[in-house]
Amino acid sequence: MKELAQYKDYKRIAVMGGSFNPIHNGHLVAAEVVRQEFGIERVIFIPTGNASHKKSDPMYNEHRYLMTVLATAANPNFEVSRMEIDRAGKSYTIDTIGELRKQCDDDCEIYFITGADAIDEILTWKDPEKLLSMCRFVAVTRPGYDKTRLKATIDTINTKYKGNVEFLEIPALSISSTDVRNRVAVGKTIKYIVPEPVESYILKFGLYGGRPSALKTDDINKKLLAVLTPKRFKHTRGVAQEAVRLAKRYGADTEKAYIAGLLHDCAKCYTDKEKIALCEKYNVPLDDILFKQPDLVHSFLGAALAKAEYGIEDEDIINAIAYHTTGRKDMSLLEKIIYIADYIEPNREAFDGLEEIRKLAYEDIDKAVEFSLENTIGYNVNKKRIIHPLSMEALEYYREGNNEKQ
Ligand code: ATP
Ligand code: MG
């Protein structure tokens, strides 16, 4: 096993410093291109701690560090150091280089990679002249920063301050962490701007005010208000809130539960004619049963609309919408939560057995599913409606499962 943070074997290492809030493909391209051009054996990404020149939020330190690990994990020449994150008090580059120096052989060259904007600020860092004597710098081009000016800055630093700064033109990526944060906050995609695991991480933890879906709930609400009747909208919000309560009870993702709840009836208030046209538009197959029982169409159509018109990509959310009326066997936890939340949300008009199911929902969700399926099927049989085979299969499945439990 290779040891971490041991640089004795290396002749050339580089530090890639930054707040990495979050790390993006611009950072990775800069590090990789410098690595190859300068024959560097190891690039050490060092997320800043409490930088003196930049306000940092300690809450985000761990997230920034972990995202940097995720982004660099696949590159055998990259590693990440906690050196600055873990340093008490203010953190300065000169201390970092000093610490690294102790871990290297005397003849090891240490490089520091910076973008065009950062090199501009270098003279404001702590002990700039000493720092410039301790390591080499590579200043890479960055869109939005003038190349000629960058070269002039480098010249000044090298002549006036005896620096060792090199210029390197790299493929232009007009990406910044600020832009990534702004995009996430308004629900814009960051795919191909940050590495995939970083994207998932940001969405998973709701960093930067983001949501697991492409659209923020405010936008979803606005759109729903336009296509649902007031009564249906109220029901929808009730389901979303009940779904969150159930998600908390069973340890499911509350954000997903909220969104699936909000969207479960998004196709409900279109006329039959509109529903058929939308099914054609979005390739939702209409089988015989759906033709005879048009009320069932809204679930499957709703799933397609959630994808196409509300930007939902999460398959679990899509399935929870698709099967919220019929149910199906072996539902995921989220599917069961939406199925039940729809049944018991606080605005539901009272019916026989409602209170019992409300209680059961929080004791044993599988039993609540069986109970609801039984009730729904019974109700529809009385009304002489066709029962969808998915519901019959589901009832059988949960009945067997629950019997086995006892
Ligand atoms: P913020 O917008 O929060 O300032 P940032 O995108 O500038 O974030 P930092 O973590 O501040 O990222 O940058 C770390 C280092 O990477 C800096 O030296 C910066 O100049 C360089 N850098 C960042 N993005 C790019 C890019 N797209 N191209 C080249 N260099 C970059
Ligand atoms: Mg910056």
Side-chain angles (χ1 to χ4, degrees), residues 16-20 24 26-27 30 54 113-118 140-143 170 173 175-178 181:
M16 178 79 202
S19 37
F20 304 131
H24 54 68
H27 297 129
K54 223 173 184 181
I113 306 168
T114 60
D117 54 317
V140 300
T141 49
R142 183 171 184 181
I170 61 166
L173 285 180
I175 301 176
S176 73
S177 302
T178 305
R181 294 193 299 271

Side-chain angles (χ1 to χ4, degrees), residues 108-120:
C108 176
E109 301 256 32
I110 302 179
Y111 286 77
F112 194 99
I113 306 168
T114 60
D117 54 317
I119 202 77
D120 249 358

Side-chain angles (χ1 to χ4, degrees), residues 41-107:
E41 294 151 284
R42 205 121 188 107
V43 180
I44 310 154
F45 286 70
I46 309 188
T48 50
N50 300 314
S52 56
H53 64 287
K54 223 173 184 181
K55 250 178 90 185
S56 63
D57 178 356
M59 285 258 291
Y60 266 80
N61 283 1
E62 218 52 42
H63 286 316
R64 292 188 294 115
Y65 169 73
L66 287 171
M67 288 189 283
T68 309
V69 171
L70 287 172
T72 54
N75 189 327
N77 305 305
F78 286 179
E79 70 178 56
V80 188
S81 163
R82 297 186 59 94
M83 200 183 282
E84 292 203 4
I85 294 254
D86 288 344
R87 190 174 294 151
K90 290 233 180 303
S91 185
Y92 298 101
T93 304
I94 195 159
D95 302 331
T96 302
I97 301 296
E99 222 172 293
L100 278 178
R101 191 32 83 211
K102 285 190 224 150
Q103 298 175 26
C104 299
D105 272 347
D106 287 346
D107 63 347

Side-chain angles (χ1 to χ4, degrees), residues 369-383:
V369 168
E370 180 190 341
F371 196 106
S372 313
L373 281 162
E374 240 164 30
N375 259 6
T376 310
I377 290 172
Y379 174 82
N380 284 306
V381 166
N382 276 344
K383 293 231 160 204

